Amino acid sequence: MLDPAIPDHHHPRAHCWYSLHTLTRTLCPPHLSSRVECYSEDLDRWVHMDCCENAWDSPLMYERGWGKKLSYIFSFTKGNVTDTTWRYSKDVAGSCSRRGGCGEAELVLLLEEINTELHRRHPDTTPAETDKRRIVELCSFLSDVKEVSASELLGRQSGSEEWRRARGEIGLAP
């Protein structure tokens, strides 16, 4: 079945999406289009990918380059939902201050509830592997010092300049 995010399986980006699908998770920030993370066995971590922007491992590009004020970014696999806002924001406190709807403790409990149900519905997923990756991610939340790369300061590359300028996504790099 084709993913609705990829409108045509003949599209050049569709090959990337489908060939990596078993090792990917979809990001769904409320103010951006869906993006993809790919799990790298070599790096032992999830890596940001944006095929539209030809970007790899540049998660801060939306906040720092495009000037987006982030709030929630969730990553989904068949058997897991994770709040990955921390990876996409250098200003996590600012992102959290823009959140509404529920408190952080409530969000953690809700995600645990959802993940328990996903594991129940998809017994073919491996909770032990998911838990291991989640623990590694949580540790990196605490120890990760995010340096902003030059590529993350670039504005959006796709779309006309007029459209990008109207959206405030031209970028901060000289």
Side-chain angles (χ1 to χ4, degrees):
M1 181 172 129
L2 293 177
D3 189 295
I6 304 293
D8 178 1
H9 70 281
H10 297 293
H11 193 282
R13 289 184 210 107
H15 175 70
C16 172
W17 174 263
Y18 292 110
S19 65
L20 294 172
H21 193 64
T22 58
L23 296 174
T24 62
R25 63 185 182 188
T26 305
L27 306 173
C28 291
H31 45 280
L32 296 169
S33 302
S34 294
R35 302 294 181 243
V36 175
E37 288 186 327
C38 176
Y39 190 79
S40 168
E41 297 288 343
D42 292 339
L43 298 174
D44 198 28
R45 65 180 176 88
W46 291 97
V47 178
H48 159 263
M49 295 172 59
D50 187 327
C51 298
C52 294
E53 300 299 313
N54 196 24
W56 182 82
D57 208 13
S58 300
L60 297 174
M61 66 187 266
Y62 309 111
E63 180 184 77
R64 296 303 171 170
W66 296 17
K68 292 296 181 185
K69 301 292 185 198
L70 305 175
S71 56
Y72 293 102
I73 297 184
F74 296 104
S75 298
F76 299 84
T77 62
K78 180 169 74 170
N80 187 262
V81 179
T82 305
D83 178 357
T84 52
T85 307
W86 67 272
R87 186 184 349 273
Y88 292 84
S89 179
K90 195 165 172 73
D91 179 19
V92 176
S95 293
C96 289
S97 74
R98 288 184 285 279
R99 291 179 171 193
C102 71
E104 295 303 306
E106 200 176 354
L107 178 61
V108 169
L109 292 174
L110 178 62
L111 290 176
E112 283 302 316
E113 216 175 282
I114 291 169
N115 287 328
T116 298
E117 180 63 19
L118 287 172
H119 289 305
R120 188 187 68 72
R121 289 184 184 196
H122 300 285
D124 57 321
T125 61
T126 53
E129 185 62 27
T130 300
D131 289 345
K132 174 190 169 271
R133 289 180 181 163
R134 202 162 99 206
I135 289 167
V136 168
E137 268 191 321
L138 290 171
C139 290
S140 69
F141 294 172
L142 300 173
S143 63
D144 192 20
V145 176
K146 296 181 200 118
E147 296 297 324
V148 181
S149 68
S151 66
E152 290 173 313
L153 293 176
L154 296 174
R156 182 191 284 260
Q157 302 299 298
S158 60
S160 71
E161 183 177 342
E162 178 184 0
W163 179 76
R164 291 180 287 142
R165 193 171 298 287
R167 294 172 53 93
E169 298 174 349
I170 289 295
L172 305 174

